Amino acid sequence: MKKEFMEFMEQSTTVYQTAAETSRRLEQAGYERLEEKDMWNICPGDKKYVVRNDSSLVAFSIPQEDEGVKGFHMVCAHGDSPCFKLKENACMTVEDSYLKLNVENYGGMIKETWFDRPLSLAGRVVVRTEGLLLETRLVDMKKPLFVIPSLAVHMKRGGEKDGELNTQLHLLPLAGTSADKNILHRMIAKEVSADEKDVLGADLYLYPVQPPICMGLSGELIGAPRLDDLACVYCGLDALLEARPSDKVALLAVFDNEEVGSQTMQGAASDFLLSVLQRIADSLKLPLAPLLAQSFMVSADNAHALHPNYTDKADSTNRPVLNRGIVIKYHGAQKYTTSAFSGAYVKAICEQEKIPYQTYHNRSDVAGGSTLGNIALTNVSVPAADIGLPQLAMHSALETMGADDLEHMASFMTAFYQA
Ligand code: CO
């Protein structure tokens, strides 16, 4: 499983590549792609998936006729990760000697971790094929092309302290010593086999050229960019493909834009998931409300593990650590969806299947993060729990998790789909 996961991570360099790689694996397992613009005719036993905006995906497996359909068991995760995004007219020169890129923040990364790492570029471009006809093409340059050089320690002397890093001032990536500001556009056009003048749009992101690696004296740690939340995406996919059919529709939703608040046409705040559920119900000639009343959602996004050097940052009695099982997340103000009931349901599955679990609360004086579960519930209101894999250095260019927890999460999600 670890090796498969590493391969998945290496392909999934941006949210677009993640949706494509997930689609490829679904197709390989016999899932058929639906288009939102078509009429759907879904039958018992069907395995289908649908993609919106090339970046969000919902896949589902319908129970066989004899099982009936008694609701949806849904796993929701996100395919996007914080990084730097290229602006329009991104190439700029410095004193006629350097070429650098104008970028902006996508989400909240730990900026200093992006210094002095080989970076590449991936995402999608939109190509005009004829007249007003536009076509999306994915692009992943794969090789190291850029670096964000840090300032030498000697140049910080003289009382100047490390202030807050400003992307516009301190983090624009160096692209070489060419003075040709069109060179990147040309490279990208060539990469997608299009004429330069027809490449009219791009959603391109920088990513660290860093394959996932095993660390720890016994290889028990995994280090990789984007573990938040691709580890949960991978486990959800693995579970969907492994699970035995039950009387629930097994569904995996991978949303874009969690890192920027989810309020987009393909984010968790959109009608994407609800629309898919409605269309499944219509197709099966079942009313949606009774199905939803028997459904359950797991919002799967990674959790903060106890930090070995900052142990005071963890809550007093809820201190998840690496390799000790999945994390159930609680929050009094309901940024996490877990309730006494839904948390108990997750625990009951874990105990029945002998899967280790841990619990997480923020320290009461720490704001903590948020995720997509409670946002998705505003459209699809079902009992839900927030869970995740314990990890360190969330939003760093190299995050760390426990290798055993991958198995724990995949086993949990499989049992959830079969419950
Ligand atoms: Co996340």
Side-chain angles (χ1 to χ4, degrees), residues 14 16-17 83-88 90 101-104 106 120-126 137-141 146 184-185 187-189 192 199 201-207:
T14 81
Y16 299 100
Q17 276 68 31
C83 59
F84 295 103
K85 182 171 193 220
L86 248 66
K87 292 182 179 173
E88 295 280 315
L101 302 180
N102 193 7
V103 297
E104 61 184 329
Y106 177 84
S120 191
L121 189 71
R124 69 169 175 183
V125 295
V126 176
R137 297 188 191 158
L138 299 195
V139 57
D140 188 340
M141 305 301 282
F146 317 107
L184 184 60
H185 188 72
M187 271 173 87
I188 290 164
V192 298
V199 178
D203 288 309
L204 293 170
Y205 302 86
L206 298 177
Y207 69 90

Side-chain angles (χ1 to χ4, degrees), residues 143-305:
K143 42 181 197 270
L145 296 172
F146 317 107
V147 65
I148 305 172
S150 53
L151 183 65
V153 69
H154 317 84
M155 294 184 167
K156 289 183 189 166
R157 283 178 188 159
E160 193 188 324
K161 290 254 161 51
D162 267 352
E164 182 159 355
L165 291 169
N166 177 326
T167 299
Q168 196 69 60
L169 297 178
H170 308 129
L171 286 142
L172 301 185
L174 176 65
T177 54
S178 166
D180 177 3
K181 287 198 273 190
N182 201 36
I183 184 170
L184 184 60
H185 188 72
R186 244 188 349 259
M187 271 173 87
I188 290 164
K190 190 168 168 227
E191 194 70 22
V192 298
S193 314
D195 211 90
E196 273 172 69
K197 68 175 186 346
D198 291 322
V199 178
L200 295 183
D203 288 309
L204 293 170
Y205 302 86
L206 298 177
Y207 69 90
V209 183
Q210 160 76 64
I213 43 165
C214 284
M215 305 182 290
L217 296 180
S218 309
E220 70 271 48
L221 305 176
I222 295 175
R226 305 181 297 281
L227 290 176
D228 166 23
D229 188 27
L230 297 190
C232 286
V233 171
Y234 177 80
C235 290
L237 178 61
D238 183 73
L240 185 69
L241 301 184
E242 288 297 313
R244 287 190 309 273
S246 79
D247 57 6
K248 301 284 200 303
V249 175
L251 181 146
L252 172 68
V254 181
F255 288 109
D256 189 5
N257 298 135
E258 189 276 341
E259 298 294 355
V260 292
S262 298
Q263 313 278 331
T264 59
M265 67 168 264
Q266 62 279 352
S270 75
D271 65 355
F272 187 30
L273 178 59
L274 181 62
S275 154
V276 172
L277 299 180
Q278 184 68 63
R279 296 181 75 171
I280 293 173
D282 289 350
S283 214
L284 297 172
K285 300 191 170 49
L286 295 168
L288 183 60
L291 288 179
L292 288 181
Q294 304 169 82
S295 297
F296 196 96
M297 182 191 291
V298 162
S299 158
D301 197 359
N302 282 357
H304 301 294

Side-chain angles (χ1 to χ4, degrees), residues 91-105:
C91 288
M92 56 207 280
T93 52
V94 181
E95 301 191 8
D96 295 327
S97 305
Y98 297 129
L99 190 69
K100 69 175 184 177
L101 302 180
N102 193 7
V103 297
E104 61 184 329
N105 300 334

Side-chain angles (χ1 to χ4, degrees), residues 75 109 217 305:
V75 170
M109 61 291 230
L217 296 180

Side-chain angles (χ1 to χ4, degrees), residues 78 80-82 227-230 258-259 300-303 329 370-372 391 394-395:
H78 65 92
D80 62 322
S81 304
L227 290 176
D228 166 23
D229 188 27
L230 297 190
E258 189 276 341
E259 298 294 355
D301 197 359
N302 282 357
K329 301 190 262 181
S370 61
T371 181
L372 54 79
Q391 72 156 91
M394 191 178 288
H395 294 188

